[in-house]
Amino acid sequence: MTWFRYEPGEVGPDPHVHRQHTDAFYVLTGELEFSLGPEQQTVAAPAGAFAAAPPNVVHTFRNASQATATFLNVHAPSLGFGDEIRGRKNPGFDQHEPPADGGRPFADAALALPGGGELIQHETSTLRIVGDLPQLSAIDMTFLPTFEGVDAHTHADHVDAFYVLEGEVEFLVGDEPRRAGPDTFVAAPPGSVHGFRNPGPAPVRFLNLHAPETGFVDRLRARA
């Protein structure tokens, strides 16, 4: 997970693909412009939008607006992207020129504009599935103070991560409860104990990521 700030007119990398991992984005403030697929179809993505390019989907992005944009960027699996950002370039990093055939179609990308996605409504929660790809799922979750919380648990085969968007969430990290407000990132790697609840008095909202996706989204659908 990387947090970025792009100033007006700032451009991202040239169009490219990743062959082994998914490159995903969540716009926090401002607006980005994504170009996706063989024909570089362009989409304006304001705050609250999610976009993801799975392997072999050509993509790039820029801030074409007149305002600063901030956004999250997730590489799943990372494959060393953190070192790329730190300046420790690896010539073997999984980033390549667009393939001669144009790569996978635009429809294979994940794209959800604000308020979009697959809605799952419960009495004490509102869930929007904004990305459901084999290497990464993303759910925009809102919980009322009356939500009973999620008890301590572990996952053996994936990372469970959270980025707080609104309100204050109480996370259980190991055996210690910690309160976290907006712009806090919490990641539970495989085998680590975690849970969460809304301590009140207002709703809480966060982006929940599972990497890789191992059936969590289908479990949410089954409970709808």
Side-chain angles (χ1 to χ4, degrees):
M1 170 79 84
T2 310
W3 182 97
F4 279 97
R5 182 188 71 244
Y6 267 38
E7 297 301 333
E10 190 166 353
V11 299
D14 291 338
H16 62 281
V17 298
H18 306 293
R19 296 172 183 163
Q20 302 175 54
H21 74 275
T22 291
D23 195 0
F25 307 82
Y26 183 85
V27 183
L28 295 169
T29 64
E31 181 178 280
L32 290 181
E33 182 182 274
F34 291 101
S35 297
L36 298 157
E39 298 177 355
Q40 291 293 279
Q41 186 169 332
T42 299
V43 179
F50 177 85
N56 292 314
V57 170
V58 178
H59 59 286
T60 187
F61 61 93
R62 64 174 182 156
N63 180 358
S65 76
Q66 299 301 309
T68 299
T70 61
F71 58 96
L72 304 176
N73 181 212
V74 181
H75 288 248
S78 172
L79 298 180
F81 182 72
D83 282 341
E84 293 289 304
I85 292 297
R86 296 180 182 103
R88 297 197 289 268
K89 299 292 185 179
N90 175 4
F93 178 65
D94 178 34
Q95 183 161 314
H96 310 276
E97 296 290 330
D101 64 1
R104 293 167 65 181
F106 173 86
D108 284 357
L111 180 65
L113 296 180
E118 181 181 343
L119 178 64
I120 298 176
Q121 186 78 55
H122 296 287
E123 184 178 347
T124 60
S125 64
T126 300
L127 314 178
R128 291 186 181 275
I129 301 167
V130 294
D132 181 12
L133 298 169
Q135 294 175 320
L136 178 72
S137 65
I139 306 98
D140 186 327
M141 296 184 166
T142 300
F143 294 97
L144 299 179
T146 49
F147 176 67
E148 63 183 8
V150 173
D151 292 335
H153 62 285
T154 64
H155 303 292
D157 52 5
H158 68 274
V159 173
D160 193 2
F162 309 82
Y163 189 91
V164 182
L165 299 169
E166 299 173 12
E168 186 177 68
V169 185
E170 184 177 281
F171 290 103
L172 182 67
V173 182
D175 58 358
E176 181 180 353
R178 298 188 182 184
R179 294 209 174 184
D183 299 322
T184 302
F185 176 64
V186 176
S192 60
V193 176
H194 61 288
F196 66 87
R197 72 183 187 95
N198 180 355
V204 298
R205 178 172 164 245
F206 54 78
L207 185 68
N208 180 215
L209 306 168
H210 288 247
E213 163 57 33
T214 58
F216 179 72
V217 169
D218 281 343
R219 289 197 293 274
L220 292 181
R221 292 178 177 126
R223 296 170 187 162

